[in-house]
């Protein structure tokens, strides 16, 4: 396990690192999740293995620290992740990012472009989410005030999301979980979709085939974003259908690889 201080108070982001060749790959989990639990199986698959891979936990989640004085906006998550990657000597990484982690990855690529060479977004949030009291996930968590959530709303969420998600959600700080959900539901300015459309790096978006067409697919494709439906899965594509996830991710990462500049190459 590796770590890096990412706040003035010394709070640590931690990650599990798999050795391999550069450029590195960085796996980023979603709300209430943890990257080692969600990505280890696919990261070591023969079709993806061999690269230096960081299975990293966002601040407030998993094995990372859970400060109660951090605001947990998407921008702050991205900046903290940038500090951790910089401390790890990462540049030009391939980011594979799920759900809220995909939103953070888009913001990271926009704010710290030298750190990201390509994006594979896995059913990521691109738009603000209306709060829905009584529902699971970010929309239900964001419907509580922070005081309500800390006073007992978290237990209602635990009972709604079920044991699988709660097994990793319980590792998140409660302030971190609520604030992350609120800011995910609120989105960014400019919005995540707009930021994604403006990026000039290779980008792919994986979604469950059963969900039907992704909103704004035509605009995304026109901007160069590959939109890839994955069969036989729900939101957690890498867990529900790991073989199809690996095939799609490996294809996305290989696209244009022959034209990619070698690190340190100044070009013609």
């Amino acid at each position: 396990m590796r770590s890096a201080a990412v706040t003035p108070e010394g709070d640590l982001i931690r990650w599990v690192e798999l050795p391999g060749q550069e450029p590195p790959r960085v796996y980023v989990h979603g709300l209430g999740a943890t990257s080692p639990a969600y990505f280890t199986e696919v990261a070591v698959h023969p079709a993806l293995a061999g690269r230096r891979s960081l299975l990293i936990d966002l601040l407030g989640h998993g094995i990372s620290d859970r400060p109660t004085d951090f605001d947990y906006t998407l921008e702050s998550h991205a900046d903290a992740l940038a500090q951790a990657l910089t401390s790890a000597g990462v540049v030009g990484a391939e980011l594979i990012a799920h759900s809220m982690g995909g939103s953070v990855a888009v913001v990271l690529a926009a704010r710290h472009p030298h750190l990201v060479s390509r994006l594979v977004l896995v059913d990521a949030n691109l738009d603000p989410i209306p709060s829905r009291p009584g529902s699971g996930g970010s929309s239900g968590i964001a419907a509580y005030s922070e005081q309500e959530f800390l006073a007992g709303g978290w237990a209602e969420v635990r009972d709604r999301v079920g044991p699988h998600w709660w097994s990793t959600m319980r590792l998140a700080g409660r302030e971190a979980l609520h604030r992350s959900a609120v800011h995910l539901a609120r989105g960014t300015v400019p919005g995540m979709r707009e930021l994604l459309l403006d990026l000039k790096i290779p980008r792919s978006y994986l979604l469950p085939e059963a969900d039907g067409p992704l909103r704004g697919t035509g605009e995304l494709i026109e901007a160069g974003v590959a939109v890839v439906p994955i069969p036989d899965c729900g939101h957690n594509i890498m867990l529900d259908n790991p073989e199809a996830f690996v095939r799609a991710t490996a294809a996305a990462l290989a696209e244009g690889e022959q034209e990619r500049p070698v690190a340190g190459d100044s070009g013609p």
Side-chain angles (χ1 to χ4, degrees):
M1 183 170 61
R2 312 288 178 87
S3 65
V6 297
T7 69
E9 295 74 28
D11 299 298
L12 298 176
I13 277 182
R14 297 182 178 88
W15 64 93
V16 171
E17 184 162 329
L18 307 175
Q21 297 179 345
E22 300 284 339
R25 289 184 181 145
V26 177
Y27 293 83
V28 189
H29 61 83
L31 179 71
T34 169
S35 289
Y38 275 65
F39 284 113
T40 296
E41 179 182 2
V42 295
V44 300
H45 189 285
L48 293 177
R51 285 287 187 86
R52 180 190 178 198
S53 297
L54 287 72
L55 283 66
I56 200 160
D57 280 350
L58 297 171
L59 203 62
H61 289 70
I63 57 176
S64 292
D65 285 348
R66 299 171 290 192
T68 59
D69 56 352
F70 192 75
D71 63 16
Y72 295 100
T73 66
L74 294 175
E75 294 89 346
S76 293
H77 270 306
D79 290 345
L81 179 57
Q83 289 193 53
L85 296 180
T86 299
S87 294
V90 168
V91 293
E94 300 171 339
L95 261 70
I96 302 162
H98 179 232
S99 197
M100 183 187 79
S103 305
V104 173
V106 169
V107 177
L108 175 73
R111 291 168 73 94
H112 306 277
H114 67 288
L115 295 176
V116 184
S117 63
R118 60 180 64 213
L119 285 175
V120 178
L121 304 178
V122 186
D123 210 18
N125 302 83
L126 299 182
D127 304 298
I129 308 164
S131 63
R132 296 187 180 92
S135 64
S138 57
S139 60
I141 295 171
Y144 295 95
S145 70
E146 185 168 311
Q147 183 178 8
E148 290 169 340
F149 186 75
L150 298 179
W154 67 268
E156 297 173 354
V157 169
R158 173 199 62 197
D159 295 341
R160 287 199 296 268
V161 302
H164 180 83
W165 195 358
W166 185 252
S167 68
T168 58
M169 188 181 283
R170 64 182 175 157
L171 303 177
R174 291 177 188 167
E175 293 87 354
L177 186 60
H178 182 264
R179 293 174 197 170
S180 295
V182 166
H183 290 293
L184 178 62
R186 188 174 298 164
T188 58
V189 180
M192 292 91 76
R193 182 180 294 270
E194 184 178 348
L195 293 174
L196 178 63
L197 290 170
D198 286 344
L199 293 174
K200 305 306 179 188
I201 57 177
R203 296 145 293 159
S204 297
Y205 188 105
L206 279 53
L207 74 154
E209 185 176 70
D211 285 358
L214 177 67
R215 188 178 83 79
T217 292
E219 185 181 29
L220 290 168
I221 292 174
E222 186 176 351
V225 181
V227 178
V228 185
I230 306 297
D232 304 322
C233 66
H235 179 56
N236 298 320
I237 300 173
M238 73 294 291
L239 301 178
D240 297 338
N241 193 342
E243 287 295 329
F245 174 86
V246 166
R247 286 195 299 271
T249 300
L253 295 174
E255 187 175 354
E257 189 70 28
Q258 65 273 15
E259 290 131 18
R260 185 172 179 163
V262 177
D265 185 0
S266 58

